[in-house]
Amino acid sequence: MSTTDNDMLKMLNKIERVSPNNNLFYLIEKRIANEAMNKISIQKAIAACFILALFVSSNVFIIKNNLTNKKVEAQSNLETAFELTTSNQLYNE
Amino acid sequence: MNINSLSNIYEEYNGLVYNLCLNYLQNIEDAEEVTQDVFLVIHKKIDDFSGKSSLKTWIYKITVNQCLDFLKAKKRKKRFGFLLPLHDESNAFSYSDFNHPGVLLENKEATENIFRLINELPPNQKTALILKTIDELSQKEIADVMEISVKAVESLLSRAKSNLKEKLKNTEGFQ
């Protein structure tokens, strides 16, 4: 390798070691604390999803039940109003 | 890992990490940011440290990888900002302005020119060269950090020097 190339690399040897800013470790601690606060544990996430699923399915069940009950009630009111009968025992009257 | 243990590791290795970041990135703000990233990774992964290599080697590895990731991310941001063509295949990452506090004022221009050439090298050649010439690691230590053989390190250093020589010839007015 030529003298110039060696001189070039020798220039790199002259680079001095420096110390970082005194504040740097405080910034690292702060980032660690922020990350811990923002982190939601997987277990809590699964529990939240389970509760949500339970809530939604129970709501669906209640609504479905209400709709069925209304239908039966409406049918019964109609039968009473028009004295309809669902039986075929015409000859008993 | 508790904060006291991290504090002890920081006290012992902050100089190593910070100076390697400075030599890789040549900018104080970038070096401070990546130094923080390195210690965050150490904090998260110390329990996974198997002890196969020394702690110093492990920290060197993390630092080199974080520097490379930082430069790639910077290049991606720049590309997204349409400042680089999409087909740009160059090895050159995106570097901030030269601001290395370890470089003496009288050597600043020459050192900046050298680093400009070094930054154009492929990442593995650059890493080997910096660890050898500035951090003064042995080839065995460099091989451990880069997880390659000693022969491979020799080859990288030889190619790095030959590439630099070529780039120097093409650079006008360096001398």
Side-chain angles (χ1 to χ4, degrees):
Chain A
M1 210 176 161
S2 73
T3 315
T4 317
D5 305 329
N6 280 332
D7 290 342
M8 186 171 71
L9 294 177
K10 276 179 189 167
M11 193 69 80
L12 296 176
N13 291 136
K14 292 182 186 173
I15 295 174
E16 293 179 351
R17 283 177 75 85
V18 293
S19 298
N21 191 331
N22 287 338
N23 213 21
L24 202 58
F25 189 66
Y26 166 72
L27 293 173
I28 293 168
E29 282 182 305
K30 207 170 148 189
R31 277 179 72 171
I32 291 172
N34 282 345
E35 280 198 10
M37 270 171 57
N38 292 338
K39 198 176 171 186
I40 301 170
S41 72
I42 294 173
Q43 288 156 341
K44 282 183 187 168
I46 292 172
C49 287
F50 179 72
I51 290 168
L52 191 65
L54 204 63
F55 180 70
V56 168
S57 59
S58 65
N59 269 356
V60 166
F61 180 74
I62 290 166
I63 290 167
K64 196 176 167 193
N65 258 1
N66 275 349
L67 285 173
T68 310
N69 286 345
K70 273 187 186 164
K71 189 179 170 188
V72 166
E73 201 181 312
Q75 192 177 341
S76 168
N77 286 343
L78 203 63
E79 284 168 8
T80 311
F82 290 98
E83 292 180 358
L84 298 172
T85 174
T86 54
S87 79
N88 283 327
Q89 295 181 355
L90 294 170
Y91 299 105
N92 288 344
E93 285 183 27
Chain B
M1 179 193 214
N2 67 46
I3 210 72
N4 285 335
S5 310
L6 184 68
S7 169
N8 292 337
I9 293 179
Y10 179 82
E11 214 164 299
E12 192 170 347
Y13 293 105
N14 72 84
L16 180 159
V17 173
Y18 182 62
N19 283 282
L20 182 54
C21 291
L22 271 176
N23 295 330
Y24 226 96
L25 307 170
Q26 303 117 44
N27 178 279
I28 292 177
E29 285 79 22
D30 292 350
E32 284 181 353
E33 187 177 333
V34 176
T35 302
Q36 291 177 49
D37 294 341
V38 167
F39 282 97
L40 244 74
V41 170
I42 291 171
H43 178 257
K44 281 181 199 165
K45 297 203 172 171
I46 191 72
D47 294 333
D48 299 339
F49 174 57
S50 59
K52 274 185 196 169
S53 60
S54 67
L55 185 60
K56 182 180 169 187
T57 301
W58 187 65
I59 290 174
Y60 258 115
K61 277 187 218 175
I62 294 172
T63 310
V64 168
N65 287 336
Q66 289 299 311
C67 287
L68 285 171
D69 290 347
F70 177 85
L71 290 169
K72 281 181 204 166
K74 234 178 155 191
K75 188 180 181 188
R76 264 200 304 273
K77 273 188 201 168
K78 228 182 172 184
R79 175 173 284 157
F80 186 71
F82 304 111
L83 292 173
L84 282 178
L86 291 173
H87 60 270
D88 177 41
E89 297 292 342
S90 68
N91 277 326
F93 292 117
S94 174
Y95 291 88
S96 302
D97 293 340
F98 188 85
N99 180 11
H100 193 316
V103 173
L104 298 171
L105 202 58
E106 60 261 31
N107 299 330
K108 186 176 181 259
E109 196 179 331
T111 312
E112 190 175 346
N113 288 335
I114 295 166
F115 271 115
R116 193 175 296 127
L117 298 178
I118 290 176
N119 290 341
E120 291 175 13
L121 294 173
N124 50 2
Q125 288 181 23
K126 176 180 172 181
T127 303
L129 194 67
I130 288 176
L131 293 178
K132 180 73 183 161
T133 54
I134 309 179
D135 281 54
E136 295 179 333
L137 295 187
S138 68
Q139 291 192 354
K140 173 75 174 70
E141 286 171 317
I142 297 171
D144 289 339
V145 170
M146 295 181 71
E147 291 178 319
I148 54 177
S149 66
V150 173
K151 283 269 180 212
V153 171
E154 278 175 23
S155 168
L156 280 176
L157 287 170
S158 167
R159 279 186 280 148
K161 287 173 185 173
S162 142
N163 279 340
L164 280 180
K165 192 175 171 183
E166 198 57 43
K167 287 178 192 297
L168 204 56
K169 270 187 202 165
N170 298 335
T171 305
E172 290 177 2
F174 174 73
Q175 295 183 19

